[in-house]
């Protein structure tokens, strides 16, 4: 039996000491592991004194990393100890198993680390979807809270620092961004771009040897007063930007000189275009509407030259669709009027 318990402990909790696995209950969805602490005592978190006087015990149910697609829950019995220091404000305290539990924690340390890695990679909703595929049920707020509770990573002292400005509201509010040029990663953000703020930040880091900045006067003043030992250089982007602006201004100022130096290209002789006939028709040739209009115009003038009056020319029959439709409408209107007059009026009986 002892061999089975040791085998289960090595299988489920291989890197955790002072814990014993009592039993394992496997169902379709959940693996429940019954365990308890085996340490002789614990250290009081208030005063740091060692105590082995047991006050009571109770069960905790922290969630663990999944096993073969099943959710793992520890049924962990922890003990509450009495503090032996009479001056300690804590009368009792609960043991914490290193590498497994923490105060007020609902998950084991390894599940907490796995969710922190998922949150750092994908954050909220995407992290929830990946955690569901891994067999962990968690909300996006929990993942964000875990990521927010992580400690700030330790940044080594920079040697080459880049200083530039950024806008929180363009044209109104600006701050200062500081970047480690060697690792190409941002180090800090200052809420303004005053020389005093930059000087105070540089004074706290005497290891800075090179400051790469733009040509703003407040950055020059802050770098000189905060890090007088550092060499100030201009970064590549600002050098090219300033060079392009200077070249553009020079070209704009001497544009007339450039025109004078440029030889005039010989202009080819243009053939004189034929004079346009003011009485020519603006309509193109070969177009059916233009040809029809032109034929109608010639027919009207031929009738006028033959001695017909304008009214008689207007009464000449036309074969176009608009004339036929207008004639049909007039004929229908006359028939409607004659029919209304010919029929007797119908009154009430």
């Amino acid at each position: 039996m002892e061999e089975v318990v040791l085998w289960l402990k090595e299988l489920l909790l291989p890197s955790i000491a002072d814990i014993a696995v009592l039993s394992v209950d496997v169902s379709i969805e959940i693996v429940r592991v019954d365990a308890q602490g085996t340490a002789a005592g614990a250290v009081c978190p208030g005063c740091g004194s060692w105590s082995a006087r047991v006050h009571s015990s109770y069960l905790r149910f922290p969630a663990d990393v999944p096993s073969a697609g099943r959710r793992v829950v520890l049924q962990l019995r922890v003990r509450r100890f009495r503090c032996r220091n009479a001056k300690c404000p804590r009368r009792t305290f609960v043991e914490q198993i290193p590498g497994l539990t923490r105060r007020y924690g609902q998950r084991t340390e390894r599940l907490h680390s796995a969710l922190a890695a998922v949150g750092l990679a994908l954050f909220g909703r995407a992290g929830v979807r990946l955690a569901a595929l891994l067999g962990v049920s968690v909300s996006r707020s929990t993942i964000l809270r875990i990521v927010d509770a992580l400690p700030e990573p330790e940044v080594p002292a920079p040697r080459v620092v880049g200083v530039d400005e950024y806008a929180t509201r363009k044209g109104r509010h600006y701050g200062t961004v500081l970047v480690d040029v060697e690792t190409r990663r941002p180090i800090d953000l200052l809420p303004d771009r005053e020389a005093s703020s930059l000087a105070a930040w540089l004074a706290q880091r005497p290891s800075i040897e090179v400051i790469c900045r733009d040509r703003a006067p407040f950055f020059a003043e802050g770098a000189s007063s905060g890090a007088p030992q550092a060499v100030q250089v201009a970064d590549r982007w600002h050098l090219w930007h300033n060079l392009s602006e200077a070249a553009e201004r020079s070209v704009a100022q001497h544009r007339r000189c450039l025109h004078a130096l440029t030889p005039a290209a010989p202009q080819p002789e243009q053939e004189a275009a034929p004079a346009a006939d003011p009485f020519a028709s603006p309509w193109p040739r070969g177009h059916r509407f233009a040809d029809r209009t032109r034929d109608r115009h010639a027919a009207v003038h031929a009738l006028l030259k033959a001695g017909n009056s304008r009214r008689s020319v207007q009464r000449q029959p036309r074969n176009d669709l608009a004339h036929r439709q207008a004639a049909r409408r007039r004929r229908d209107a006359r028939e409607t009027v004659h029919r209304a007059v010919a029929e007797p009026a119908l009154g009430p009986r």
Side-chain angles (χ1 to χ4, degrees):
M1 184 64 182
E2 293 182 359
E3 295 180 356
V4 175
V5 171
L6 292 175
W7 179 77
L8 289 175
K9 194 264 180 187
E10 291 295 331
L11 179 63
L12 299 174
L13 306 169
S15 60
I16 300 174
D18 299 331
I19 191 172
V21 177
L22 304 180
S23 63
V24 179
D25 183 15
V26 181
S27 63
I28 298 177
E29 298 180 354
I30 299 177
V31 177
R32 191 177 300 276
V33 180
D34 189 6
Q36 66 178 10
T38 59
V43 178
C44 177
C47 61
S49 61
W50 175 267
S51 177
R53 297 175 57 188
V54 179
H55 175 272
S56 59
S57 65
Y58 67 96
L59 291 176
R60 294 181 64 179
F61 300 92
D64 199 6
V65 291
S67 175
R70 294 185 178 92
R71 191 162 56 92
V72 177
V73 177
L74 293 179
Q75 184 174 319
L76 181 63
R77 182 167 292 276
V78 294
R79 295 165 293 176
R80 183 180 292 274
F81 293 92
R82 295 181 185 272
C83 185
R84 300 177 61 181
N85 187 2
K87 296 182 180 180
C88 181
R90 292 179 178 271
R91 297 297 182 183
T92 62
F93 61 92
V94 178
E95 66 174 339
Q96 303 295 335
I97 299 175
L100 186 64
T101 62
R102 63 173 61 186
R103 293 184 62 191
Y104 308 113
Q106 299 179 358
R107 300 171 185 84
T108 60
E109 287 296 315
R110 53 188 181 183
L111 179 58
H112 190 275
S113 301
L115 292 178
V118 171
L120 288 174
L122 300 175
F123 280 91
R125 291 184 174 88
V128 170
R129 292 193 292 268
L130 179 59
L133 293 177
L134 298 177
V136 181
S137 178
V138 68
S139 66
R140 63 185 182 92
S141 300
T142 301
I143 291 182
L144 295 177
R145 187 166 55 249
I146 291 174
V147 172
D148 188 56
L150 292 175
E152 293 290 336
E154 295 183 2
V155 180
R159 192 182 65 89
V160 183
V161 176
V163 182
D164 205 347
E165 61 184 8
Y166 71 95
T168 55
R169 188 174 182 182
K170 193 171 182 180
R172 297 193 177 185
H173 303 294
Y174 288 89
T176 304
V177 57
L178 298 113
V179 181
D180 190 342
V181 177
E182 295 180 330
T183 61
R184 298 184 179 183
R185 306 189 70 175
I187 303 174
D188 202 353
L189 295 175
L190 303 182
D192 52 31
R193 53 179 180 179
E194 299 295 332
S196 57
S197 301
L198 178 60
W201 190 90
L202 293 174
Q204 298 175 359
R205 296 161 178 82
S207 62
I208 296 177
E209 301 177 4
V210 180
I211 299 176
C212 185
R213 62 172 182 83
D214 64 0
R215 300 172 62 184
F218 40 83
F219 287 155
E221 181 182 354
S224 300
S225 59
Q229 79 284 356
V231 178
Q232 301 182 30
V233 298
D235 61 275
R236 185 184 307 171
W237 186 89
H238 285 97
L239 286 176
W240 283 108
H241 183 67
N242 295 338
L243 179 60
S244 63
E245 287 184 344
E248 185 178 358
R249 287 195 299 267
S250 178
V251 170
Q253 292 174 0
H254 300 83
R255 184 174 298 175
R256 295 182 178 179
C257 301
L258 296 177
H259 282 299
L261 294 176
T262 304
Q267 298 292 336
E269 296 182 359
Q270 297 181 356
E271 297 181 359
D277 186 4
F279 301 100
S281 174
W283 292 92
R285 294 288 180 178
H287 197 277
R288 61 189 184 95
F289 296 108
D291 294 341
R292 186 176 62 186
T293 304
R294 192 176 293 105
D295 295 341
R296 186 181 302 163
H297 180 269
V300 168
H301 281 274
L303 292 174
L304 291 176
K305 288 182 179 180
N308 297 318
S309 64
R310 293 185 178 181
R311 184 175 296 275
S312 62
V313 171
Q314 187 179 2
R315 291 176 180 176
Q316 293 293 328
R318 295 165 57 187
N319 296 325
D320 57 334
L321 179 62
H323 179 75
R324 292 197 303 270
Q325 290 178 350
R328 187 182 301 111
R329 286 195 297 269
R330 290 194 295 270
R331 185 175 63 253
D332 294 342
R334 287 195 299 269
E335 291 179 356
T336 303
V337 172
H338 290 315
R339 190 181 302 112
V341 173
E343 293 179 356
L346 299 178
R349 294 180 179 178

